[in-house]
Amino acid sequence: MPHRLLVLLLAPLLGGCAREVDQFKPHIVITSPEGGAVSANKQFVLKGYVIDDRAVALLRVQGQKVPIDAGRKITPFTYKTQLSGNTVTLAIAALDSSGNKTTLELPLNIDNTPPVIRVTKLEREGKLIRVSGIVTDNTGVVQVSVDGSALSTTPGTSTEFYAETSGIYADIEAKDGAGNVAKLRAQ
C-alpha cells in the first residue's frame, strides 16, 4: 500500500515533466512575385519567408532544397527558377524542427502582354504639357511614369493618370506586375 500511495503522490509531479507536443505547423509567406504573374522571360526569383513557433528546419521548392538559415523562428528565402509553359504551379514545402510539415501550391501565369497606354487629353501652354489618360493591363498596372518621374497611382487592371511636364512631348511608361513595360510618346 505505501507504494501505491507514493505512485499517487508522484503522478501529478511527473506529469509536469511530460514533453510539450509541437502542433504548430510552419507558415509560408510569399512576398514576390505579386499577383501570381511572372515575366515573359520565364525566369524569376521567388521570395518570401517561413515562420515557426520553434524553428524552421527545411524548405523545398519543386522538390529542390532551398538554402535557408535553419534553426530560426523566422527565416527569409530566395529561390531563382525557370518555368516552362504558360501556367505552372510551384510546390513549396516547409518542415519545422519537430517534423511538422506545411505545403503550399503557388499557381503562376506567364504574362507576355505589356500594359496598354491610352492618352485621353493632351494640352499645351507654352512649354508646359498636361497629359492624362488610362493604363490597362491583364494582370495589373503597378507603375506609371511621365518623363522618368513615377506618378502616384492606384495599382489595378485599369489605372488613370495625370501629369504636367515641360518640353515638346511627354514620354509615358507603364509597367505591370510581371515586369512588362509599355512606352508611348504623347505629342
Side-chain angles (χ1 to χ4, degrees):
M1 210 66 156
H3 290 286
R4 242 185 189 185
L5 185 59
L6 183 61
V7 169
L8 288 174
L9 290 173
L10 288 176
L13 296 174
L14 292 175
C17 295
R19 242 179 172 196
E20 188 179 314
V21 178
D22 180 8
Q23 295 183 2
F24 184 87
K25 291 183 177 185
H27 186 71
I28 303 166
V29 178
I30 305 299
T31 57
S32 177
E34 293 180 33
V38 294
S39 67
N41 69 10
K42 299 183 182 185
Q43 182 177 17
F44 75 101
V45 176
L46 176 70
K47 292 182 180 182
Y49 53 93
V50 182
I51 303 170
D52 189 69
D53 66 332
R54 299 212 173 149
V56 178
L58 178 71
L59 179 69
R60 291 187 184 274
V61 176
Q62 298 297 81
Q64 294 183 346
K65 189 175 177 182
V66 177
I68 60 167
D69 191 5
R72 297 180 61 188
K73 291 182 178 185
I74 301 174
T75 183
F77 66 88
T78 301
Y79 180 78
K80 187 182 271 188
T81 187
Q82 185 78 26
L83 303 176
S84 60
N86 287 334
T87 61
V88 68
T89 300
L90 292 181
I92 305 166
L95 188 70
D96 71 10
S97 60
S98 299
N100 294 317
K101 183 179 179 181
T102 297
T103 56
L104 173 70
E105 290 187 353
L106 179 65
L108 297 170
N109 296 310
I110 307 301
D111 180 10
N112 297 313
T113 309
V116 175
I117 303 169
R118 186 169 57 95
V119 173
T120 56
K121 192 171 189 179
L122 180 70
E123 297 175 333
R124 293 179 194 278
E125 189 176 303
K127 289 204 176 233
L128 179 69
I129 299 173
R130 291 184 189 94
V131 62
S132 58
I134 298 173
V135 179
T136 56
D137 187 71
N138 59 333
T139 61
V141 179
V142 295
Q143 184 179 29
V144 179
S145 62
V146 174
D147 288 342
S149 296
L151 304 178
S152 178
T153 58
T154 303
T157 56
S158 180
T159 302
E160 293 184 16
F161 68 90
Y162 171 83
E164 292 182 359
T165 188
S166 60
I168 302 170
Y169 47 79
D171 283 326
I172 305 164
E173 183 174 293
K175 183 177 170 185
D176 69 12
N180 297 308
V181 176
K183 296 180 180 183
L184 177 73
R185 178 167 280 173
Q187 300 187 59

